[in-house]
């Protein structure tokens, strides 16, 4: 049809003496095909298997060379799962973006709830569907998300339309940074696309929150600000795993973040400062600072138990390089020069 074509084979079996739920069996194999449900969504290569038996539908489908409008490079999608034909669906997916060497994998369980319906207007599908995702998991770009839950009201495929103020919660995010109890508020409109209105996380005893992030159409670099408060300096030093370093205090600040087309991250002059006094203790097993000069010897001694009254930090991150930190600290060590103040 004008919406696509599928080539393959199918088998249908009806057993008259079996119980009703076991009487019908069907198997469809798609060897090749194309799919174009809307004018701006197409897949040039479709293949897979769909089986219905004992009132359970299982599927394993591959959609390659998917084009969604003109704003996104071709991507591939593999999805498989099963459903009891009532409301429960267990599924797995793998989404690959070859042009950016990026793959996102996920799995979960979702169910359709409420009074969903679809209509056909001017040759396009107009849905109004509500479904719930439970215990979802995703992995990609070095991160693993566990315990995703959301109730989503889908109102359109192309353009993608999602009702405002939809909420997704994530139990934990594991990767270069471990985050917990995440909350994402999102929506999708015809003019602004898919956007995360806000993201918030628990991190190192404090909280992190972002400004709105445009997710679709994708335009690199993706720029947003990250603000944080009540972050534990002690937990940060534990994450850094620097020999002999420990600290106490709480931080707040802002990081201007950019995600580039290779999914590397840059930070352009972020800043943080302590909201109260605290301490830095640097007692490495192997001495790093030279001690044959009076000034460096005093610095080494002071850092063994440095009680700060003011702590500021500038942060710079260049893609594919280590993060640079510039510290501005004022304080003293009670046992060095009778507590004379130092300013680093």
């Amino acid at each position: 049809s004008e919406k696509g074509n599928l080539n393959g084979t199918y088998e249908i079996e009806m057993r008259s003496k079996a119980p009703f739920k076991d009487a019908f069996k069907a198997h469809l194999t798609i060897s090749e095909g194309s799919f174009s449900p809307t004018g701006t969504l197409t897949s040039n290569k479709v293949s897979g298997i769909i089986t219905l038996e004992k009132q359970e539908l299982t599927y394993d489908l591959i959609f390659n060379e998917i084009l969604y409008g003109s704003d996104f490079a071709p991507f591939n999608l593999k999805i498989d799962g099963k459903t009891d034909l009532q409301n429960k669906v267990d599924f797995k997916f793998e989404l690959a973006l070859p042009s950016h060497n990026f793959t996102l994998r996920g799995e979960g369980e979702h169910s359709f709830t409420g009074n969903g319906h679809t209509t056909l207007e001017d040759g396009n599908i107009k849905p109004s569907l509500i479904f719930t995702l439970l215990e979802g998991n995703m992995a990609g770009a070095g991160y693993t998300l566990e315990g995703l839950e959301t109730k989503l009201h889908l109102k359109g495929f192309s353009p993608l339309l999602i009702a405002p103020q939809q909420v997704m919660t994530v139990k934990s995010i594991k990767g270069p940074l471990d985050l917990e109890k995440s909350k994402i508020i999102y929506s999708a409109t015809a003019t602004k696309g898919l956007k995360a209105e806000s993201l918030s996380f628990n991190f190192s005893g404090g909280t992190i929150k972002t400004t709105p992030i445009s997710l679709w159409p994708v335009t690199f670099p993706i720029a947003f600000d990250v603000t944080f408060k009540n972050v534990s300096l002690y937990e940060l030093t534990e994450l850094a795993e620097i020999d002999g370093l420990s600290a106490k205090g709480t931080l707040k600040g802002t990081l201007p973040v950019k995600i580039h087309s290779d999914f590397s991250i840059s930070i352009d002059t972020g800043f943080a400062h302590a909201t109260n006094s605290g301490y830095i203790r640097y007692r490495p097993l192997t001495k790093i600072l030279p001690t044959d000069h009076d000034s460096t010897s005093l610095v080494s001694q002071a850092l063994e138990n440095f009680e700060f009254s003011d702590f500021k930090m500038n942060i710079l991150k260049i893609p594919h390089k280590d993060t640079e930190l510039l510290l501005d600290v004022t304080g003293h060590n009670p046992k060095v020069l009778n507590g004379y103040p130092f300013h680093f």
Side-chain angles (χ1 to χ4, degrees), residues 29 65 71 84 97 100 108 112 131 153 166 174 186 193 243 246 259 284 318 323 326-327:
T29 300
E65 298 181 10
D71 302 299
D84 57 12
L97 188 59
H100 294 290
F112 291 95
F131 67 89
H153 186 181
Q166 304 296 287
K174 297 179 180 178
Y186 63 99
D243 174 41
S246 64
I259 301 177
I318 300 174
T323 303
L326 180 63
L327 296 179

Side-chain angles (χ1 to χ4, degrees), residues 12 18 29 31 66 95 109 112 125 135 150 196 216 233 265 270 344:
I12 298 177
T29 300
S31 57
I66 300 173
L95 187 150
E109 171 188 312
F112 291 95
I125 299 173
E135 293 301 321
T150 188
W216 189 296
L233 192 55
I265 293 176
F344 300 122

Side-chain angles (χ1 to χ4, degrees), residues 63-126:
F63 302 87
N64 286 336
E65 298 181 10
I66 300 173
L67 294 172
Y68 186 77
S70 59
D71 302 299
F72 206 60
F75 60 96
N76 304 324
L77 176 65
K78 179 180 180 181
I79 184 166
D80 62 84
K82 62 182 180 179
T83 173
D84 57 12
L85 295 181
Q86 296 182 40
N87 64 359
K88 182 180 177 181
V89 181
D90 297 315
F91 70 96
K92 296 181 180 179
F93 74 88
E94 179 178 297
L95 187 150
L97 188 59
S99 61
H100 294 290
N101 193 28
F102 173 76
T103 300
L104 180 67
R105 297 179 177 88
E107 62 181 3
E109 171 188 312
H110 71 75
S111 60
F112 291 95
T113 59
N115 298 316
H117 65 272
T118 59
T119 58
L120 188 64
E121 297 180 13
D122 300 325
N124 291 318
I125 299 173
K126 301 290 185 180

Side-chain angles (χ1 to χ4, degrees), residues 129-130 150-156 160-168 184-190 192-198:
L129 301 172
I130 299 174
T150 188
K151 180 177 286 188
L152 184 151
H153 186 181
L154 179 67
K155 304 182 72 174
L160 180 66
L161 300 175
I162 298 175
Q165 296 294 303
Q166 304 296 287
V167 178
M168 174 181 288
I184 305 167
I185 299 176
Y186 63 99
S187 64
T189 65
K192 296 184 179 180
L194 178 62
K195 176 177 284 189
E197 298 295 340
S198 71

Side-chain angles (χ1 to χ4, degrees), residues 321-332:
K321 293 186 178 181
D322 292 336
T323 303
E324 296 182 8
L325 303 178
L326 180 63
L327 296 179
D328 185 345
V329 186
T330 301
H332 70 282

